[in-house]
C-alpha cells in the first residue's frame, strides 16, 4: 500500500493547485485523523483544533513530502503528536491526569494506519461498484441490516436472487483494482470484528 | 490482505469502513477541505506554545499575580507572538521587536488589518466572537500565521 499510485497522484495534484485532489485526500483520510483524536479522548473542541492544525500542516508540506505514498503514516504521526500536545497541556488537573489515555501509542498508530488504508480502499472500491451492487451491499451493511424481504421489496427483486447477487457483488468488490492493490500490502491486520476499529 | 477472507468477512469489513466514514462529522471534513485555502500562501505556521488557561497549574507557581489574565504565546522558527486578553481587547507583541502589519482572519473568511508599531505592539479590538487566527507580516519580510484561537 505504501506505493499506492493513486495517493501519490493525489498528493502531486494537490501540491499543484487542484482542490478536487485535496478534497479527495481529506475524504479518504479524515476518518484516520478523527479516529486517532477519539482514541486520545479529546473533546470535540480539541478535535477540531487538532484537525485544523493537521490539515494546515499538510497543506504546508504538500510539495515537500519525501514519500507521498506514506501519507497515511505522516497523517497518523502528525495527528498523534498534535493530540499529545493537547493532552499534555490539558493535564493541569488531577482528574484529567487520571483520565489520561492508557495505550501503547506506537502500536495503536500502526494499527490505525493499516486499518485506515484498508477502510479507504474498501470505500473506494465500494464507490466504484455499479449502483445495484452499492444499493444491495449498502442495505446489508446498514445498522441494523435490512432483511432479505425488505431488500426484495425495495429493489423489486425475488428473495431467491438476493444470495447469488450478494455473492456476485462481493466478488466484484474483491476483484476491484483498489483492493487488489491493497492485497499486495501488509497482512498484519485482524479480520473485522476483532480489530481496534470494531 | 483480503485474499483469505470469505464473503462474510469482506462484508463486515466493508460495513466497518463505511461506518468509520459516517462517524466523522461533515463539519470536520469541510474544515479539512477548507484548509486548502492556505495552499500556496507563503506563511510560516506558528504553534501555540503557551496558554495560561491550559498551563495554569504549572504557571500558578511563578505567575500567581497574573493568573486571571489569559495569555497565549505562538512560536514559529523566526518569531513569537505574545498575546494577552485585557478587557475587551487583545494586546500583543512580536518578539523579537519589530514593526509590521497584522491580519485578523475569521473562519468565515473576514480579514481585518491592524498596524504593529516599532516596538512590535498591536491591539485587536473587539476580540472576535468565534475562532480566529493571526497573520503577521513584519517590516523585515517574515510572514507568520498562527493556529486557530478561540477566546
Amino acid at each position: 500500500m505504501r506505493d499506492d499510485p493513486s495517493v501519490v497522484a493525489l498528493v502531486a495534484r494537490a501540491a499543484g493547485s487542484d482542490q478536487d485532489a485535496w478534497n479527495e485526500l481529506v475524504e479518504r483520510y479524515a476518518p484516520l485523523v478523527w479516529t486517532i483524536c477519539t482514541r486520545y479522548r479529546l473533546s470535540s473542541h480539541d478535535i477540531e483544533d487538532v484537525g485544523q492544525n493537521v490539515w494546515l500542516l499538510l497543506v504546508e508540506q504538500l510539495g515537500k513530502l519525501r514519500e507521498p505514498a506514506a501519507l497515511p503514516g505522516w497523517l497518523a504521526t502528525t495527528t498523534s503528536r498534535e493530540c499529545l500536545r493537547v493532552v499534555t497541556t490539558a493535564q493541569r488537573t488531577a482528574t484529567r491526569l487520571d483520565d489520561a489515555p492508557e495505550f501503547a501509542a506506537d502500536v495503536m498508530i500502526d494499527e490505525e494506519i493499516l486499518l485506515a488504508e484498508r477502510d479507504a480502499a474498501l470505500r473506494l472500491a465500494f464507490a466504484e461498484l455499479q449502483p445495484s451492487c452499492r444499493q444491495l451491499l449498502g442495505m446489508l451493511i446498514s445498522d441494523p441490516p435490512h432483511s432479505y424481504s425488505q431488500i426484495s421489496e425495495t429493489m423489486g427483486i425475488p428473495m431467491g436472487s438476493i444470495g447469488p447477487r450478494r455473492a456476485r457483488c462481493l466478488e466484484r468488490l474483491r476483484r476491484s483494482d483498489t483492493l487488489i492493490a491493497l492485497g499486495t500490502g501488509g497482512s498484519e491486520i485482524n479480520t473485522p470484528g476483532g480489530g481496534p476499529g470494531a | 490482505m483480503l485474499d483469505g477472507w470469505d464473503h462474510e468477512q469482506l462484508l463486515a469489513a466493508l460495513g466497518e469502513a463505511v461506518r468509520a466514514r459516517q462517524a466523522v462529522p461533515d463539519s470536520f471534513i469541510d474544515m479539512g477541505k477548507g484548509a486548502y485555502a492556505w495552499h500556496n500562501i507563503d506563511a510560516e505556521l506558528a504553534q501555540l506554545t503557551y496558554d495560561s488557561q491550559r498551563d495554569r497549574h504549572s504557571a500558578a507557581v511563578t505567575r500567581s499575580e497574573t493568573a486571571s489574565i489569559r495569555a497565549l504565546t505562538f512560536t514559529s522558527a523566526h518569531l513569537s507572538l505574545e498575546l494577552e486578553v485585557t478587557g475587551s481587547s487583545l494586546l500583543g507583541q512580536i518578539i523579537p521587536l519589530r514593526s509590521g502589519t497584522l491580519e485578523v482572519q475569521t473562519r468565515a473568511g473576514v480579514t481585518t488589518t491592524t498596524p504593529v508599531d516599532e516596538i512590535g505592539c498591536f491591539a485587536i479590538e473587539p476580540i472576535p466572537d468565534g475562532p480566529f487566527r493571526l497573520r503577521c507580516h513584519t517590516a523585515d519580510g517574515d510572514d507568520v500565521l498562527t493556529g486557530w484561537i478561540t477566546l
Side-chain angles (χ1 to χ4, degrees):
Chain A
M1 194 59 189
R2 282 174 74 80
D3 53 6
D4 175 1
S6 58
V7 174
V8 177
L10 286 173
V11 171
R13 282 166 54 203
S17 53
D18 188 335
Q19 172 90 48
D20 289 342
W22 171 261
N23 289 354
E24 174 60 31
L25 287 173
V26 172
E27 285 280 353
R28 215 183 266 197
Y29 296 115
L32 172 63
V33 176
W34 176 264
T35 305
I36 291 173
C37 289
T38 59
R39 293 284 187 270
Y40 281 91
R41 303 190 205 165
L42 300 190
S43 68
S44 56
H45 175 78
D46 285 340
I47 291 182
E48 201 171 300
D49 278 354
V50 168
Q52 274 289 351
N53 283 335
V54 169
W55 296 119
L56 284 171
L57 286 166
L58 179 58
V59 164
E60 207 190 24
Q61 290 297 316
L62 270 176
K64 308 173 198 157
L65 289 175
R66 261 180 298 164
E67 207 184 340
L71 177 66
W74 185 93
L75 277 173
T77 312
T78 306
T79 304
S80 185
R81 201 182 58 221
E82 292 292 313
C83 288
L84 271 174
R85 180 172 24 221
V86 171
V87 170
T88 326
T89 51
Q91 282 176 351
R92 57 192 187 275
T93 66
T95 32
R96 286 295 290 270
L97 256 170
D98 290 344
D99 284 345
E102 294 162 15
F103 49 75
D106 290 350
V107 174
M108 175 197 81
I109 295 299
D110 287 348
E111 284 176 358
E112 295 297 356
I113 294 166
L114 285 171
L115 261 179
E117 289 183 318
R118 188 183 87 187
D119 284 354
L122 280 163
R123 287 192 297 264
L124 202 59
F126 179 61
E128 286 165 357
L129 289 175
Q130 57 268 64
S132 61
C133 275
R134 283 207 305 274
Q135 189 185 9
L136 175 63
L137 295 183
M139 284 193 275
L140 290 167
I141 61 174
S142 67
D143 187 20
H146 290 65
S147 68
Y148 273 26
S149 64
Q150 285 171 311
I151 293 172
S152 162
E153 199 177 317
T154 309
M155 294 188 68
I157 54 174
M159 291 244 284
S161 77
I162 294 175
R165 278 170 189 261
R166 174 185 188 273
R168 268 202 307 280
C169 291
L170 285 168
E171 240 2 85
R172 282 191 187 129
L173 185 74
R174 193 210 296 277
R175 281 197 235 111
S176 68
D177 292 344
T178 324
L179 288 195
I180 286 171
L182 181 74
T184 60
S187 57
E188 298 301 313
I189 215 146
N190 295 329
T191 49
Chain B
M1 186 188 292
L2 304 171
D3 290 348
W5 287 14
D6 62 26
H7 284 168
E8 291 308 319
Q9 289 169 321
L10 192 57
L11 193 64
L14 179 63
E16 279 186 12
V18 169
R19 281 190 290 278
R21 168 63 184 82
Q22 287 168 347
V24 183
D26 288 343
S27 60
F28 189 79
I29 305 267
D30 292 344
M31 180 187 72
K33 292 179 180 174
Y36 199 61
W38 301 101
H39 184 48
N40 284 338
I41 287 180
D42 220 7
E44 194 182 337
L45 285 182
Q47 302 283 350
L48 181 65
T49 49
Y50 173 76
D51 180 344
S52 60
Q53 202 169 70
R54 279 179 180 170
D55 305 342
R56 191 178 296 152
H57 187 66
S58 55
V61 185
T62 52
R63 297 202 191 188
S64 53
E65 76 281 5
T66 59
S68 60
I69 295 178
R70 177 87 184 268
L72 304 164
T73 304
F74 285 90
T75 308
S76 78
H78 291 98
L79 57 81
S80 293
L81 284 178
E82 302 210 330
L83 308 172
E84 260 184 24
V85 181
T86 55
S88 62
S89 50
L90 179 67
L91 302 181
Q93 190 168 30
I94 300 172
I95 312 281
L97 314 180
R98 54 229 150 127
S99 62
T101 55
L102 191 87
E103 287 173 17
V104 184
Q105 304 174 334
T106 65
R107 286 221 178 129
V110 180
T111 300
T112 51
T113 305
T114 306
V116 180
D117 70 19
E118 63 278 5
I119 55 163
C121 293
F122 55 86
I124 297 161
E125 198 176 45
I127 295 172
D129 282 340
F132 63 98
R133 55 193 312 169
L134 304 176
R135 185 174 178 190
C136 168
H137 303 270
T138 65
D140 54 353
D142 279 334
D143 182 2
V144 172
L145 182 67
T146 70
W148 291 98
I149 307 168
T150 310
L151 295 175

